[in-house]
Amino acid sequence: MSEQDQDDVDLLAGIARRDSDALLSLYRKYNGRVFSVIYRILDNRAAAEEVLQDTFYRLWDRSQLYQPEKGQLIWWLLTVARNLALDHKRKESRRMDSNVFSKGELWDGAELDRLPGAASEDDPDLRRTIQRVMEELPDEQKRAIELAYFEGLTHQELSEKLGQSLGTVKTRIRLGLSKLRKAMRDYGKVMML
Amino acid sequence: MSVECAHVEEDWELFVLGSLEEAAQQRMASHVRSGCKECHSRLMEAQIAAGLVAMTAPERQPSLRVERDLLKRIEAGESSGWRSAASAWSWPRFRVIPWVVATACVLLAGWFFWQQRRLGEELTKAEATIERMRRPGTATGQGAHRVAEVPNGESTDSATSTTTSSSTKNAITSNESPADRRAARNQDVDNRASGRAEDERKLANDGMGKPFASTVAELAAQVDELKKENAGLRSATAAAEKNEVELQGALSASTARAEALERDLEAVKISSGAANPAEVATLNRQLLESRAEVARLGAATARYAQIENLLQSGSTQQIVLRVVDPAGGKAFARVFYSPQAGLLLLADALPKLDHEKCYQLWVIRKGAPAILSAGLLQTSDDGHGFLFAEPTRELAELTGLAITDEPKGGSISARGHKLLFGAR
């Protein structure tokens, strides 16, 4: 576990003791990155700020759901934030959805601690690398990924929106994400040289 | 991979994105819970890749209000259903309330109608007063040319702010000294503040005092804020002017010295006929040094003139940068910028960095690239920081500013810790 992860765990212990300063420290550390994702999904500052507050209140209220051994706190926060933002969006469009992912079960069963040692979401260079790779993806792959991640569209909806078969949509998402993953791995290798 | 896994082999990306249909999503979740280790690494990879997509979101910063509301919410110990006041009425449990409110509204409508007529005139009068009080402009002199009412009730075709600003600018273009110009500007600021105070008193005394007490308090807060901004601006302008005056003095002295050296050189050449080579060489060297000094001081004076121009520009905006990382200590920075006049940063209480690091300012903007370096801060041992950047069109797209600690000499792209941040 990195020094930063250990700091987060210490602050989480503070939250468990109901220390609001601990929550404030985590909020100040991660609010920008979490808010960026929420804002990208909702494209509305007032709604995004409300969801941001909900995300960190959930950390305060249910911090026991986060398991440090499963991965970095920022990934958990981003998962919660995305789900809350998409829920908000769906409620706005009167479309209720309750997939297992949004209930957090997937987090319980998944491990997210396999990022290369030097690479983390906190790394501005990795961030720029991923942004560059995303920009360089073929338009159809990039669009499919963005619609799925930031708009929360199902593959059926993606298929209809993009006018492509289900198989094509799946392939595009898989290929696009595969390139992001490869970029991250390559970055990790470079960082460890 | 088991036979059971075959049907989900290709769907992990969609699964982690939550993009499968409900039934398929449930089926895969069930498969995950069964503890199938063969699929575990596939799932993990897909999840990391999906998480990377989050990193492509353009950088944004929330307002400080969120932090304050979050703390209030925690302190209030409210349950997970808490919402801000603005959205609370959309809760299901409040959906019956609109009917009650509607009924009450019907009963109150008549009363309101009567009250509205009576209050209409007073309200119009109050709004006019408030509008008049808003007009004097901002600390950076952004006063639009409007017809404004002066405090004694008369009208004039030149806004109060622009009138006083014009007098200040006239002083600048005349032969008055920087001290005179500063005094004129300070008088301008004082007049604006006292004008507002006078308006406040009138508002409180014209029979509308109690109903508008909150408005008066709000305006008083605005006056306080304006005074603070003016103090900051005044301090920055005074510092720039002081430096400019000192530089002007040094420049004049250096120019005079260079001219004297040129005269001496000519005199030596004329008087010695064949000339004394050693003396001519010495004078030539002194002359070159003097010219270099004149050039350096001239550039510095021009820079301070630019700063003064920026601080007095009508289009100048301010951004306050605050600490976002504990390593920033109690640092504080204020930036004045204008796409036409440049960018000036003044920082205070900057923690001392080790010798291998420096502070670098970054402009965050709407366009691509989203983050641009604005330069390295000049720092002093007592924690002050300074930076002036030439005007660029990118400043028109500025959405935020950040200060990071970077390796000595700076970085092409931000690598260090984001210590201070401020948004428009």
Side-chain angles (χ1 to χ4, degrees):
Chain A
M1 185 178 285
S2 70
E3 191 177 325
Q4 177 176 298
D5 294 342
Q6 187 56 52
D7 287 346
D8 288 353
V9 170
D10 292 343
L11 290 170
L12 283 164
I15 288 176
R17 293 192 304 271
R18 313 319 280 164
D19 176 3
S20 57
D21 285 343
L23 178 72
L24 204 56
S25 296
L26 286 172
Y27 174 83
R28 286 176 179 168
K29 187 174 179 183
Y30 293 126
N31 73 58
R33 275 165 282 158
V34 174
F35 184 69
S36 300
V37 172
I38 298 170
Y39 192 96
R40 173 69 178 79
I41 292 171
L42 297 176
D43 195 26
N44 176 311
R45 174 165 282 274
E49 290 188 342
E50 189 175 304
V51 171
L52 175 69
Q53 192 189 126
D54 285 347
T55 302
F56 280 89
Y57 190 78
R58 184 162 291 202
L59 180 64
W60 173 260
D61 202 33
R62 305 179 198 178
S63 61
Q64 72 278 7
L65 291 179
Y66 168 66
Q67 297 169 281
E69 67 276 14
K70 305 277 185 179
Q72 294 175 331
L73 178 63
I74 181 61
W75 296 106
W76 185 81
L77 284 171
L78 289 173
T79 304
V80 170
R82 175 180 178 253
N83 293 333
L84 288 174
L86 290 176
D87 279 352
H88 188 283
K89 199 168 192 168
R90 286 169 186 138
K91 280 173 188 165
E92 287 295 306
S93 61
R94 295 183 169 278
R95 197 186 103 198
M96 299 303 291
D97 194 341
S98 59
N99 65 56
V100 295
F101 187 60
S102 66
K103 287 176 182 170
E105 291 177 26
L106 182 61
W107 177 268
D108 294 339
E111 291 180 9
L112 295 177
D113 55 348
R114 304 293 178 83
L115 284 166
S120 81
E121 206 279 340
D122 199 32
D123 185 337
D125 282 338
L126 173 61
R127 189 183 181 90
R128 276 188 289 275
T129 300
I130 296 301
Q131 284 172 341
R132 180 180 51 76
V133 173
M134 187 75 158
E135 284 302 314
E136 289 170 358
L137 287 180
D139 282 346
E140 59 273 18
Q141 289 178 19
K142 183 182 165 194
R143 178 109 172 104
I145 289 172
E146 286 183 337
L147 285 172
Y149 189 85
F150 293 117
E151 304 292 325
L153 296 189
T154 66
H155 69 324
Q156 185 67 46
E157 290 167 328
L158 284 167
S159 170
E160 288 166 9
K161 188 162 184 117
L162 298 173
Q164 301 290 339
S165 69
L166 288 176
T168 303
V169 168
K170 285 183 186 179
T171 302
R172 285 178 177 171
I173 288 178
R174 196 169 56 248
L175 285 175
L177 290 182
S178 171
K179 286 174 188 168
L180 292 185
R181 201 164 52 235
K182 181 177 181 305
M184 186 199 69
R185 282 178 177 156
D186 291 347
Y187 176 83
K189 284 175 192 167
V190 170
M191 290 297 289
M192 285 185 281
L193 283 176
Chain B
M1 183 168 290
S2 69
V3 175
E4 188 188 358
C5 297
H7 70 284
V8 296
E9 183 185 358
E10 308 230 319
D11 288 341
W12 288 115
E13 282 82 6
L14 290 166
F15 175 68
V16 297
L17 289 171
S19 296
L20 290 174
E21 297 299 340
E22 182 70 17
Q25 198 82 21
Q26 292 287 8
R27 197 164 54 243
M28 289 186 70
S30 173
H31 184 67
V32 171
R33 281 194 294 269
S34 74
C36 174
K37 290 181 181 175
E38 293 171 64
C39 288
H40 208 238
S41 61
R42 240 341 242 114
L43 169 64
M44 187 192 70
E45 284 187 355
Q47 186 133 29
I48 290 174
L52 292 174
V53 181
M55 299 170 82
T56 66
E59 192 169 349
R60 300 274 184 177
Q61 291 293 332
S63 65
L64 291 173
R65 183 184 59 80
V66 183
E67 181 179 313
R68 192 181 61 233
D69 288 351
L70 179 64
L71 281 178
K72 275 188 196 166
R73 185 174 172 182
I74 288 167
E75 284 163 9
E78 293 184 20
S79 64
S80 57
W82 193 94
R83 288 291 186 278
S84 67
S87 63
W89 298 99
S90 64
W91 289 5
R93 66 191 173 99
F94 283 113
R95 282 178 188 162
V96 294
I97 290 180
W99 293 100
V100 178
V101 173
T103 307
C105 284
V106 170
L107 294 172
L108 291 172
W111 185 80
F112 271 123
F113 180 74
W114 178 77
Q115 283 284 48
Q116 190 180 15
R117 286 182 66 120
R118 190 178 68 78
L119 290 172
E121 284 184 19
E122 288 184 355
L123 191 58
T124 305
K125 194 175 169 187
E127 283 174 345
T129 306
I130 291 166
E131 178 60 24
R132 187 182 71 234
M133 291 167 75
R134 283 182 179 148
R135 284 183 182 176
T138 68
T140 52
Q142 297 175 45
H145 189 74
R146 301 170 183 153
V147 175
E149 204 176 329
V150 294
N152 64 8
E154 294 173 1
S155 290
T156 173
D157 187 55
S158 56
T160 309
S161 61
T162 50
T163 302
T164 47
S165 295
S166 297
S167 65
T168 306
K169 291 202 172 186
N170 288 340
I172 292 165
T173 53
S174 71
N175 290 328
E176 290 181 45
S177 69
D180 294 335
R181 299 203 303 263
R182 187 163 59 250
R185 188 162 43 254
N186 292 349
Q187 185 60 46
D188 176 7
V189 168
D190 292 341
N191 288 345
R192 283 156 58 186
S194 61
R196 285 197 171 198
E198 176 62 22
D199 279 352
E200 277 179 55
R201 277 194 294 279
K202 285 179 68 180
L203 186 63
N205 294 331
D206 68 358
M208 298 181 290
K210 284 190 177 179
F212 291 92
S214 61
T215 307
V216 172
E218 189 180 318
L219 288 168
Q222 284 178 17
V223 170
D224 285 343
E225 185 62 28
L226 179 67
K227 283 178 179 172
K228 281 181 196 167
E229 286 187 12
N230 282 340
L233 186 63
R234 193 185 294 181
S235 163
T237 310
E241 283 178 350
K242 180 171 176 285
N243 284 319
E244 189 188 355
V245 168
E246 287 171 0
L247 281 165
Q248 283 284 10
L251 179 62
S252 300
S254 288
T255 305
R257 187 163 164 250
E259 286 170 358
L261 282 167
E262 280 181 351
R263 281 195 301 273
D264 289 351
L265 185 60
E266 282 305 309
V268 167
K269 282 179 180 173
I270 293 165
S271 64
S272 61
N276 180 341
E279 195 175 355
V280 169
T282 303
L283 284 169
N284 262 327
R285 183 175 52 75
Q286 288 178 351
L287 183 60
L288 285 174
E289 286 172 359
S290 233
R291 280 176 179 163
E293 179 71 2
V294 167
R296 191 182 66 75
L297 290 169
T301 307
R303 170 57 50 87
Y304 277 100
Q306 276 184 302
I307 291 172
E308 197 175 4
N309 178 48
L310 166 66
L311 293 171
Q312 291 169 347
S313 163
S315 62
T316 298
Q317 298 183 58
Q318 287 190 49
I319 291 181
V320 172
L321 281 76
R322 293 190 169 84
V323 167
V324 291
D325 186 302
K330 294 181 178 176
F332 177 86
R334 188 184 290 270
V335 166
F336 305 88
Y337 78 96
S338 157
Q340 293 79 35
L343 177 151
L344 170 69
L345 176 141
L346 299 169
D348 196 15
L350 289 169
K352 196 169 173 63
L353 295 174
D354 68 47
H355 294 302
E356 296 305 310
K357 288 196 170 181
C358 64
Y359 287 108
Q360 191 163 359
L361 179 69
W362 302 92
V363 170
I364 301 160
R365 64 182 190 124
K366 290 175 190 165
I371 302 173
L372 291 168
S373 172
L376 306 181
L377 275 65
Q378 295 174 33
T379 54
S380 59
D381 288 341
D382 56 0
H384 293 301
F386 168 87
L387 169 66
F388 181 80
E390 297 287 340
T392 64
R393 60 185 174 81
E394 282 81 8
L395 289 177
E397 300 168 331
L398 185 152
T399 58
L401 291 160
I403 294 176
T404 60
D405 57 347
E406 301 291 336
K408 196 173 181 180
S411 301
I412 294 171
S413 55
R415 291 167 170 268
H417 300 95
K418 186 169 77 179
L419 303 174
L420 289 98
F421 176 83
R424 277 184 65 187

